[in-house]
Amino acid sequence: MIERAAGLLRSGEPVAIPTETVYGLAANAFEHEAVLKVFRLKQRPLFDPLIVHVAHEQASLAALAQAGVVDSSGMTEGQKTSFARLTAALWPGPLTVVLPRGKRVVDLVSSGLSTVGVRVPAHPLTQQLLKALPFPLAAPSANRFGRVSPTTAQHVTDEFGKDLAMVMDGGACETGVESTVVLLLAGGDPLILRPGGISREVIEKLTGRRAAVQSTAGGSLVGVSPGTMDNHYAPTIPLILWDGASPVAASELPLRGLRVALLSVESSTTLEETVQSLGGEVCHREILSTRSSDLDAARHLFAALRRCGTSGASVIVAQKPGRDDGLWLAIADRLRKASFKGELNGLLSQLRGSR
Ligand code: TXA
Ligand code: MG
């Protein structure tokens, strides 16, 4: 399997690879044409940069600079120290660090930015593949742009079918949400551009510094991470997000006459009771973790969203996690991005009409 994948990648063909977070759609990060194929296959806009995946042997700044992946010459001592602390503990693993881009990584990978997101994925098959290749792999999640990320090989096949030469099957992904993307500010403070498989608390503990999260930092920093768009992870039917606390009136959310798939983060009857009180007919239920574990919930999230989409329901009602520590932050982020943001009454009457 490794040899076949390496052969295709050397000849410029994209290959889907397993990682501990989600499956990636990989190509030679040093070759424009190969990377362009990934953007085309995904139907991804060219302004949304890709993450570069490297072998564990290249996990140091010196090795990354030597390979032309990173240009560490302008990095401050604070940035270098935070980088070393984070990566010594977390690589291989679901952490992406945004660093000054080295000269061998093609412009397209970074959408023309002077930086590049780098990570060392933990899946053993992908580590073997990276070791066998003379170049690193640029890889976004292996889904069409804006859709739910794949956590099994079958999800990737469902999405691309014959358009993709090969999917390396590495089983179900362990973490289930994408890597945490971190930018190191000049003084060395970490800024979380995308919450993910490594929690904010862990990043703060390792660096000994406070980590702001971009989506809540606001102001001038918005725009530092293109691609952290709001309409993402869209399931095949609309998802309505309920915060789980505020009462909802049937005039705000008229579910009468609609088949509803429920997605709750933990065992609780409130979501079902609420949906029924609004007149919805519950036809499918997903509980992300019966023991309220953020790790379990993250692992199950994307597969559960897909099942809701094919359950025969016309709408998904999901309950937001009641907390934002650990991986709950990433779970809430993905649910928010997956949710319908328009005018609800209009959407619901349209769905009722199309039944
Ligand atoms: O876990 C993951 O990170 C998965 C697996 C396959 O490794 N990959 C992934 O890639 O989630 P993708 O393309 O779906 O998301 C990459 C995101 C971009 O949308 C952007 O938000 C951020 O990473 N990113 C990448 N390069 C960046 C850069 N140079 N500056 C800022 N943000 C960057
Ligand atoms: Mg993605």
Side-chain angles (χ1 to χ4, degrees):
M1 180 156 58
I2 303 283
E3 263 163 45
R4 183 162 163 247
L8 285 164
L9 289 162
R10 282 173 188 272
S11 68
E13 274 308 304
V15 169
I17 56 168
T19 85
E20 75 283 25
T21 58
V22 301
Y23 275 73
L25 190 59
N28 180 351
F30 292 163
E31 240 192 72
H32 178 86
E33 287 302 318
V35 176
L36 188 59
K37 282 189 188 165
V38 168
F39 276 93
R40 294 235 169 97
L41 205 53
K42 268 200 72 130
Q43 295 157 347
R44 180 176 175 118
L46 298 179
F47 57 78
D48 190 2
L50 310 185
I51 292 167
V52 172
H53 299 68
V54 302
H56 195 196
E57 287 65 35
Q58 293 196 323
S60 69
L61 266 187
L64 288 169
Q66 169 79 29
V69 175
V70 166
D71 174 5
S72 57
S73 59
M75 284 174 70
T76 66
E77 284 312 309
Q79 286 171 322
K80 288 180 180 171
T81 304
S82 290
F83 173 87
R85 288 186 180 163
L86 288 172
T87 58
L90 301 175
W91 276 357
L95 173 79
T96 295
V97 188
V98 174
L99 297 164
R101 179 157 58 104
K103 60 178 181 303
R104 294 198 67 193
V105 175
V106 296
D107 279 1
L108 189 57
V109 166
S110 298
S111 306
L113 296 172
S114 60
T115 54
V116 61
V118 180
R119 91 174 187 99
V120 179
H123 199 290
L125 279 180
T126 292
Q127 271 305 318
Q128 279 180 48
L129 175 65
L130 286 165
K131 259 179 112 163
L133 290 169
F135 48 77
L137 294 173
S141 51
N143 51 277
R144 304 258 187 213
F145 183 69
R147 313 307 303 195
V148 176
S149 302
T151 51
T152 65
Q154 187 62 47
H155 292 162
V156 183
T157 307
D158 291 347
E159 192 105 2
F160 295 105
K162 291 200 170 59
D163 292 349
L164 182 59
M166 182 178 179
V167 182
M168 278 173 76
D169 191 344
C173 299
E174 187 59 32
T175 305
V177 290
E178 296 86 344
S179 60
T180 300
V181 179
V182 170
L183 176 77
L184 300 172
L185 301 175
D189 283 355
L191 172 66
I192 296 176
L193 301 180
R194 176 181 72 181
I198 299 291
S199 72
R200 170 189 194 158
E201 294 80 5
V202 165
I203 288 167
E204 292 189 330
K205 186 151 183 254
L206 287 169
T207 54
R209 295 163 176 275
R210 279 196 49 79
V213 180
Q214 177 183 249
S215 50
T216 55
S220 59
L221 286 169
V222 173
V224 170
S225 192
T228 43
M229 270 85 81
D230 245 17
N231 286 310
H232 234 91
Y233 309 98
T236 48
I237 54 174
L239 180 146
I240 295 170
L241 194 56
W242 177 50
D243 69 10
S246 9
V248 208
S251 55
E252 284 172 83
L253 193 58
L255 293 174
R256 189 160 302 286
L258 291 176
R259 286 161 68 80
V260 180
L262 299 181
L263 184 87
S264 38
V265 290
E266 56 195 355
S267 302
S268 139
T269 52
T270 38
L271 182 62
E272 178 144 10
E273 284 159 11
T274 304
V275 165
Q276 277 164 348
S277 74
L278 297 170
E281 179 199 335
V282 176
C283 70
H284 185 83
R285 295 171 186 79
E286 294 284 346
I287 299 169
L288 297 182
S289 171
T290 49
R291 51 184 188 134
S292 302
S293 147
D294 58 338
L295 299 178
D296 289 352
R299 190 179 308 127
H300 299 142
L301 175 65
F302 291 142
L305 275 175
R306 279 170 192 264
R307 285 191 298 269
C308 286
T310 55
S311 64
S314 46
V315 64
I316 305 169
V317 179
Q319 182 174 357
K320 232 169 66 177
R323 44 198 284 194
D324 67 0
D325 58 334
L327 298 201
W328 295 119
L329 184 68
I331 295 164
D333 171 79
R334 303 307 187 269
L335 283 173
R336 189 178 57 73
K337 287 175 180 159
S339 66
F340 176 79
K341 315 234 172 23
E343 204 269 307
L344 278 178
N345 265 297
L347 170 78
L348 295 173
S349 56
Q350 196 187 328
L351 290 173
R352 219 171 274 117
S354 66
R355 282 200 67 199

